Structures are given as C-alpha cells and as structure tokens.
Amino acid sequence: MSQSGRGRILLALTGQDVDHWRRLLGDGYDVVTGRAYPSDPSIDHAVVWKHRPGVLAGLPNLKLVISTGAGVDHVFADPDLPDVPILRVVAENLATHMAEYVVWRVMDHHRQGMAYRAQQAERAWEERNQQTAARVAVGIMGLGQLGRVAAKALLSLGFRVNGWTRGPRAVDGVATFHGDDGLKAFLAATDILVVLLPHTPATQGIVDYNLLRGLRRDNALGGAVLVNAGRGRLQREADILRALDDGTLKEASLDVFEAEPLPQASALWSHPRVFVTPHAAAASDPEHLAPLMLEQIARFERGEALDNLVDRDAGY
Ligand code: NDP
Ligand code: OXD
C-alpha cells in the first residue's frame, strides 16, 4: 500500500509506452515498473502486457492482475501466475476499431480489391462481376465483445452473418452454431470466415487445412476467404498457404501470426492473395483504458464486484 493509503500499481509491459501508462494511472496511485521492484511487498495490483514470466510470483501481496489488452493468452503464458483475479479490456472503442477492420477486410474481398489492385499494376481496364452482400455469408468464430459488434456492422451492410461460439448464444439477425457439433454446419454455410476467438488450449491451431476445407467454396465470390484478427496461434500458416495454392481458399487477410513480427522469410508477405497487417486491427488506447482500469481498482478496494473478469478455467 502506498503512503497515500491507496493501492500501489506495478506496470509490467513489453512493447508499450510505460511512461505514458504511468502518467495516466498515476492519479492517486504510486506506479512502479517491473524491473525496479521484482519482489516488492507494497504492490497491490499489476497492469500487464506480455510481462516477464515469474515477475508476478515474487509479489507477496498482489491482489489483482489487469491486462492492457482484450486477449489474455499473454498472461497465461506465465507458468508462475499467482492465483489472483485477472481482468481484461472490454472497451467500446476497441470493439469499434475491430468492427472497422472486419468491415474493411470483408468489403475489400467482397468488392474484389485484390483483383483490382493486381489489374491496376498492369494498367488493365476490366470490369469485374459485382455481387450483392445478401448473397455472401460471413461466418464469425467468436461472438464475444468484439465479434458481436462486428456482426452488427456486417448485418447493417446486408451480409448474411453466421456465428460460432463455445456455448449456445443468441444474437439478433445472426445464425448461431456452437461447440464441436456445430462447427461443420457453421463452416459449410460460410463464404468469408472471420476469426475473433481467443487463443486458449482449446483453440490453438484450430484454423488448419481441415477446417478451411469445410468452408463453402462454390459461392458468389468464387471461393472461400479467411480473415484472422484473433490470434496468430489459432492458425497453421503452412496449411493456409497450402489452401491458397490448391484453391481451398481464394484469399486471406491476416492481422495476427504464429510468430510476431511476421518473419521476413515468411511466404505470406509476398503471396499475391494475402493481405498482411501487423497486429493492428484494434489497438488498446491508454487514454481510454486507464480510467476504466482505475475504476475497477477502486471497486476492488471498496470490496465491490468487478467487471470483465477472466475465467481461468476457460482461459479467456
Ligand atoms: P470474448 O471473450 O468477449 O469472446 C470470445 C468468444 O470466443 C466468445 O464468443 C466465446 O464463446 C468464443 N470462444 C472461446 N473459446 C471457444 C471455443 N473453444 N470454441 C468456440 N468458441 C469459443 O473476447 P473478445 O471478443 O473481447 O476478443 C476476442 C479476441 O480478439 C481476444 O481474445 C484477442 O485474442 C483478439 N484481439 C485481437 C486484437 C487485434 O488487434 N488483432 C485486438 C483485441 C483483441 P462463448 O460466447 O460461448 O463464451
Ligand atoms: C488485444 C490485442 O488483445 O491488442 O487487445 O491483441
């Protein structure tokens, strides 16, 4: 506990602007960084992104871990994670950014952006076939905080939308499927697959050749399309390349990769039918998130119920 009587926060962030977060979280709280205080008994809460494994286990009075991202696979990557509540990011602007990314990629594939960019490079003037959105079914794996907002945006543009979840879910206007038993029918009804799942032991490597073979290829777009903005470790990149090359997949937009940054040697960089973005679909905005985190810490200190708790058993 700090001298002010309020909790003390450890910031353990990799690849994020620690000073910016420190300024934003420092209103009434002492904020310290991971390197300086590896076993500080005065630390109550940890705000983390890809923290160094083991660093939290050394904090004897840690009460709360807060991820600066929506995904928490980086938290569970620590084999010595203390048994305290874990909170994750749920924020309207994150969901809006993700919906923008999904709409952008779906519209680009739907309106043949890849073919037109190739034609432009050749100075080729050739009008291509146009389909109505109502003839295209987008299937979203993961109808959580992000998937549901993306589904709504796609529905408003006239696409048909399917959704696949772990448990049964009802979402207005969306044809929903769940569990292993629902996967085959979900894929068979899907032309553009959008992956917005968390990376957990149950979902690791789920986007493999077999899964891609299950998509509907005989469709208005002339082939099946993959969009992954969930996590790279959901996908098998060798299988995606194989599927692109044998016609199982027409095109892909990938924001996340098995290894990040995507290695220079990866064939995905130069594949003519792959669109690569550098894990940039929806970035956490510290200005927006810090007040939400401080509110959760204050609730914790008042003994009130917390929002956005991670289910440790499910891993998300
Ligand atoms: P939520 O936890 O709100 O939703 C997760 C969804 O995935 C739920 O619908 C859940 O099903 C479903 N799901 C989880 N496990 C399984 C499973 N084994 N089988 C079927 N469905 C499953 O997560 P968010 O929507 O907030 O975020 C999703 C992911 O997006 C994050 O975990 C993160 O990896 C990624 N992300 C990527 C970003 C980027 O910039 N690329 C930015 C932010 C997040 P159910 O509804 O039954 O629980
Ligand atoms: C997240 C991310 O999980 O940015 O929030 O990937």
Side-chain angles (χ1 to χ4, degrees), residues 16 49 67-74 88-89 94 98 146 229-231 255-256 260 279 282-284:
Q16 294 188 354
W49 180 255
S67 165
T68 61
V72 286
D73 45 349
H74 65 104
R88 68 184 196 98
V89 161
L94 194 78
M98 184 57 87
L146 304 182
R231 277 292 182 268
D255 182 60
V256 287
E260 294 180 5
H279 197 143
S284 290

Coordinates of all heavy atoms in Angstrom, one line a residue, residues 16 49 67-74 88-89 94 98 146 229-231 255-256 260 279 282-284, ligand 2:
Q16 N 5.1 -1.6 -25.0 CA 4.1 -0.5 -24.8 C 4.8 0.7 -24.1 O 5.8 0.5 -23.5 CB 2.9 -0.9 -24.1 CG 2.1 -2.0 -24.8 CD 0.8 -2.3 -24.2 OE1 0.5 -1.8 -23.1 NE2 0.0 -3.1 -24.8
W49 N 1.2 -6.4 -19.9 CA 1.2 -6.8 -21.3 C 2.5 -7.6 -21.6 O 3.5 -7.0 -21.5 CB 1.0 -5.6 -22.3 CG 0.9 -6.1 -23.7 CD1 1.9 -6.0 -24.7 CD2 -0.2 -6.7 -24.4 NE1 1.5 -6.6 -25.8 CE2 0.2 -7.0 -25.7 CE3 -1.4 -7.1 -23.9 CZ2 -0.6 -7.7 -26.6 CZ3 -2.3 -7.7 -24.8 CH2 -1.9 -8.0 -26.1
S67 N -4.9 -6.9 -17.6 CA -4.3 -7.0 -18.9 C -4.6 -5.7 -19.6 O -5.8 -5.2 -19.6 CB -4.9 -8.2 -19.7 OG -4.6 -8.0 -21.1
T68 N -3.6 -5.1 -20.3 CA -3.9 -3.9 -21.1 C -4.6 -4.3 -22.5 O -4.9 -3.4 -23.2 CB -2.7 -3.1 -21.4 OG1 -1.7 -3.9 -22.2 CG2 -2.0 -2.6 -20.2
G69 N -4.7 -5.6 -22.7 CA -5.4 -6.0 -24.0 C -6.6 -6.8 -23.7 O -6.9 -7.2 -22.5
A70 N -7.4 -7.1 -24.7 CA -8.6 -7.9 -24.6 C -8.2 -9.4 -24.4 O -8.8 -10.1 -23.7 CB -9.5 -7.7 -25.8
G71 N -7.2 -9.8 -25.1 CA -6.7 -11.1 -25.1 C -5.8 -11.3 -23.8 O -5.1 -10.4 -23.4
V72 N -5.9 -12.5 -23.2 CA -5.1 -12.7 -22.0 C -4.2 -13.9 -22.1 O -3.7 -14.4 -21.2 CB -6.0 -12.9 -20.8 CG1 -6.6 -11.5 -20.3 CG2 -7.1 -13.9 -21.0
D73 N -4.0 -14.4 -23.4 CA -3.1 -15.5 -23.6 C -1.7 -15.2 -23.1 O -0.9 -16.0 -22.6 CB -3.1 -16.0 -25.0 CG -3.0 -14.9 -26.0 OD1 -3.2 -13.7 -25.7 OD2 -2.7 -15.2 -27.2
H74 N -1.3 -13.9 -23.2 CA 0.0 -13.4 -22.8 C 0.1 -13.5 -21.2 O 1.2 -13.7 -20.7 CB 0.3 -12.0 -23.2 CG -0.7 -11.0 -22.6 ND1 -0.3 -10.1 -21.6 CD2 -2.0 -10.7 -22.8 CE1 -1.3 -9.3 -21.2 NE2 -2.3 -9.7 -22.0
R88 N -9.6 -8.1 -17.9 CA -9.1 -7.9 -19.3 C -9.9 -6.6 -19.8 O -10.8 -6.1 -19.2 CB -9.4 -9.1 -20.2 CG -10.8 -9.3 -20.4 CD -11.1 -10.5 -21.3 NE -12.5 -10.5 -21.8 CZ -12.8 -10.1 -23.0 NH1 -11.9 -9.7 -23.8 NH2 -14.0 -10.1 -23.4
V89 N -9.4 -6.2 -21.0 CA -10.0 -5.0 -21.6 C -11.3 -5.3 -22.3 O -11.4 -6.2 -23.1 CB -9.0 -4.4 -22.6 CG1 -9.8 -3.4 -23.5 CG2 -7.9 -3.6 -21.9
L94 N -12.5 -0.2 -28.6 CA -11.7 -1.3 -29.1 C -12.7 -2.1 -30.0 O -12.3 -2.5 -31.1 CB -11.2 -2.2 -28.0 CG -10.2 -3.2 -28.3 CD1 -8.8 -2.6 -28.5 CD2 -10.2 -4.4 -27.3
M98 N -12.2 -2.8 -34.0 CA -12.2 -4.2 -34.6 C -13.3 -4.3 -35.7 O -13.1 -4.9 -36.7 CB -12.4 -5.2 -33.5 CG -12.3 -6.6 -34.0 SD -10.7 -7.0 -34.9 CE -9.7 -7.4 -33.5
L146 N -16.1 -8.4 -29.1 CA -15.7 -7.9 -30.5 C -16.5 -8.5 -31.6 O -17.0 -7.8 -32.5 CB -14.2 -8.2 -30.7 CG -13.3 -7.6 -29.6 CD1 -11.8 -7.9 -29.9 CD2 -13.4 -6.1 -29.4
A229 N -8.2 -12.0 -37.2 CA -7.7 -10.9 -36.3 C -7.8 -11.3 -34.9 O -7.7 -10.4 -34.0 CB -8.6 -9.6 -36.5
G230 N -7.9 -12.6 -34.6 CA -7.9 -13.1 -33.2 C -6.5 -13.2 -32.7 O -6.0 -12.3 -32.0
R231 N -5.9 -14.3 -32.9 CA -4.5 -14.5 -32.5 C -3.8 -15.4 -33.6 O -4.5 -16.3 -34.1 CB -4.5 -15.3 -31.2 CG -4.6 -14.4 -30.0 CD -3.4 -13.4 -29.8 NE -3.5 -12.6 -28.6 CZ -4.1 -11.4 -28.5 NH1 -4.5 -10.8 -29.6 NH2 -4.1 -10.7 -27.4
D255 N -4.1 -10.5 -39.7 CA -3.6 -9.4 -38.9 C -2.7 -10.0 -37.8 O -1.9 -9.2 -37.2 CB -4.8 -8.7 -38.2 CG -4.3 -7.5 -37.3 OD1 -3.7 -6.6 -37.9 OD2 -4.6 -7.5 -36.1
V256 N -2.8 -11.3 -37.6 CA -2.0 -11.9 -36.5 C -1.3 -13.2 -37.0 O -1.8 -13.8 -38.0 CB -3.0 -12.3 -35.3 CG1 -3.4 -11.0 -34.6 CG2 -4.2 -13.0 -35.9
E260 N 5.3 -13.2 -34.2 CA 5.2 -11.8 -34.4 C 6.4 -11.1 -33.9 O 6.9 -11.4 -32.8 CB 3.9 -11.2 -33.8 CG 2.7 -11.8 -34.4 CD 1.4 -11.2 -33.8 OE1 1.4 -10.3 -33.0 OE2 0.3 -11.7 -34.2
H279 N -0.6 -6.9 -36.7 CA -1.4 -7.0 -35.4 C -1.9 -5.6 -35.1 O -1.6 -5.0 -34.0 CB -0.5 -7.5 -34.3 CG -1.3 -8.0 -33.1 ND1 -1.0 -9.1 -32.4 CD2 -2.4 -7.5 -32.6 CE1 -1.9 -9.3 -31.4 NE2 -2.8 -8.3 -31.5
A282 N -7.1 -3.6 -33.9 CA -7.7 -2.8 -32.9 C -6.7 -2.6 -31.8 O -6.5 -3.6 -31.0 CB -9.0 -3.5 -32.4
A283 N -6.2 -1.5 -31.7 CA -5.1 -1.2 -30.7 C -5.7 -0.7 -29.4 O -6.7 0.1 -29.4 CB -4.1 -0.1 -31.2
S284 N -5.2 -1.1 -28.3 CA -5.6 -0.6 -27.0 C -5.2 0.9 -26.9 O -4.1 1.2 -27.1 CB -5.0 -1.4 -25.8 OG -5.5 -2.7 -25.8
Ligands
OXD2 C1 -5.6 -7.3 -27.5 C2 -4.7 -7.1 -28.7 O1 -5.7 -8.5 -27.1 O2 -4.4 -5.9 -29.0 O3 -6.2 -6.4 -27.0 O4 -4.3 -8.0 -29.4

